[in-house]
Protein backbone atom coordinates (compact mmCIF):
# COMPACT_ATOMS: atom_id res chain seq x y z
CA UNK A 1 0.00 0.00 0.00
CA UNK A 2 1.47 3.31 -1.06
CA UNK A 3 0.19 6.48 0.58
CA UNK A 4 0.92 10.09 -0.43
CA UNK A 5 2.32 10.94 3.00
CA UNK A 6 5.80 10.62 4.53
CA UNK A 7 6.12 11.06 8.29
CA UNK A 8 9.15 12.94 9.58
CA UNK A 9 11.60 12.08 12.36
CA UNK A 10 10.35 9.25 14.60
CA UNK A 11 6.70 9.45 13.55
CA UNK A 12 4.84 6.61 11.88
CA UNK A 13 1.63 6.53 9.84
CA UNK A 14 -0.75 3.73 10.81
CA UNK A 15 -4.09 2.40 9.60
CA UNK A 16 -6.17 1.37 12.60
CA UNK A 17 -7.83 -2.06 12.41
CA UNK A 18 -11.60 -1.93 12.95
CA UNK A 19 -12.70 -2.64 16.49
CA UNK A 20 -14.40 -5.97 17.03
CA UNK A 21 -17.98 -5.32 18.05
CA UNK A 22 -18.79 -8.98 18.77
CA UNK A 23 -16.87 -11.16 21.23
CA UNK A 24 -15.80 -14.72 20.43
CA UNK A 25 -18.74 -15.89 22.55
CA UNK A 26 -21.17 -13.83 20.45
CA UNK A 27 -21.74 -10.93 22.86
CA UNK A 28 -22.31 -7.54 21.20
CA UNK A 29 -20.23 -4.80 22.79
CA UNK A 30 -21.15 -1.12 22.81
CA UNK A 31 -18.53 1.19 21.27
CA UNK A 32 -17.61 2.73 24.64
CA UNK A 33 -16.51 -0.56 26.20
CA UNK A 34 -13.09 -0.65 24.54
CA UNK A 35 -10.03 -1.80 26.46
CA UNK A 36 -8.01 1.25 25.49
CA UNK A 37 -5.57 -0.76 23.33
CA UNK A 38 -5.90 -1.00 19.53
CA UNK A 39 -4.09 -2.80 16.73
CA UNK A 40 -2.85 -0.94 13.67
CA UNK A 41 -0.83 -1.60 10.53
CA UNK A 42 2.24 0.56 9.89
CA UNK A 43 1.95 2.05 6.38
CA UNK A 44 4.82 4.61 6.45
CA UNK A 45 7.73 5.45 8.76
CA UNK A 46 9.91 8.51 9.28
CA UNK A 47 13.68 8.68 9.21
CA UNK A 48 14.16 8.13 12.96
CA UNK A 49 14.88 10.20 16.04
CA UNK A 50 17.65 12.78 15.70
CA UNK A 51 20.35 11.99 18.27
CA UNK A 52 22.69 14.41 20.04
CA UNK A 53 25.45 13.41 17.62
CA UNK A 54 23.36 14.63 14.67
CA UNK A 55 22.61 11.15 13.33
CA UNK A 56 19.20 9.51 13.04
CA UNK A 57 18.49 6.41 15.14
CA UNK A 58 17.02 3.36 13.43
CA UNK A 59 13.24 2.97 13.55
CA UNK A 60 12.01 -0.13 15.37
CA UNK A 61 8.77 -0.22 13.37
CA UNK A 62 8.72 -1.08 9.68
CA UNK A 63 6.09 -0.80 6.96
CA UNK A 64 3.77 -3.81 7.21
CA UNK A 65 4.22 -4.35 10.97
CA UNK A 66 1.14 -4.82 13.13
CA UNK A 67 1.52 -2.73 16.28
CA UNK A 68 -0.37 -2.21 19.53
CA UNK A 69 -1.25 1.38 20.51
CA UNK A 70 -3.24 3.19 23.14
CA UNK A 71 -6.69 3.92 21.74
CA UNK A 72 -6.41 7.71 21.66
CA UNK A 73 -2.72 8.22 20.87
CA UNK A 74 -1.61 10.20 17.83
CA UNK A 75 -3.35 12.57 15.46
CA UNK A 76 -6.00 11.40 13.00
CA UNK A 77 -5.46 12.49 9.40
CA UNK A 78 -7.66 11.94 6.39
CA UNK A 79 -5.94 11.13 3.12
CA UNK A 80 -7.38 10.36 -0.31
CA UNK A 81 -8.03 6.70 0.48
CA UNK A 82 -9.19 6.88 4.10
CA UNK A 83 -8.43 7.79 7.68
CA UNK A 84 -5.01 7.21 9.21
CA UNK A 85 -3.24 8.17 12.40
CA UNK A 86 0.19 9.77 12.81
CA UNK A 87 1.84 8.37 15.95
CA UNK A 88 5.18 8.94 17.60
CA UNK A 89 7.11 5.65 17.62
CA UNK A 90 7.65 6.10 21.38
CA UNK A 91 3.86 5.62 21.82
CA UNK A 92 3.91 2.14 20.28
CA UNK A 93 3.41 -0.47 23.01
CA UNK A 94 4.75 -3.36 20.95
CA UNK A 95 4.99 -5.12 17.60
CA UNK A 96 2.97 -8.29 17.03
CA UNK A 97 4.87 -11.13 15.37
Amino acid sequence: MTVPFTPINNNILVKMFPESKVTVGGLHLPEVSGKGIRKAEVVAVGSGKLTDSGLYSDMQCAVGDTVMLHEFTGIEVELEDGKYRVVNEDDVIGILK
Side-chain angles (χ1 to χ4, degrees):
M1 168 189 303
T2 304
V3 293
F5 183 91
T6 302
I8 61 170
N9 297 329
N10 66 328
N11 289 308
I12 60 174
L13 182 70
V14 297
K15 179 84 171 170
M16 303 299 283
F17 288 124
E19 292 184 76
S20 177
K21 305 252 193 281
V22 180
T23 66
V24 176
L27 295 174
H28 291 271
L29 301 174
E31 290 188 32
V32 295
S33 70
K35 298 177 185 173
I37 303 295
R38 298 273 308 274
K39 292 181 187 177
E41 178 186 1
V42 177
V43 294
V45 297
S47 54
K49 188 182 287 189
L50 187 60
T51 64
D52 292 336
S53 63
L55 301 173
Y56 286 95
S57 63
D58 291 335
M59 296 290 282
Q60 294 182 15
C61 296
V63 173
D65 284 349
T66 299
V67 296
M68 301 291 288
L69 307 165
H70 288 284
E71 185 173 9
F72 300 110
T73 193
I75 299 168
E76 191 171 282
V77 294
E78 191 159 346
L79 301 175
E80 296 170 358
D81 61 341
K83 292 183 180 179
Y84 295 86
R85 195 168 288 190
V86 177
V87 178
N88 189 296
E89 190 184 42
D90 293 338
D91 293 331
V92 173
I93 298 168
I95 301 171
L96 296 172
K97 300 288 181 184

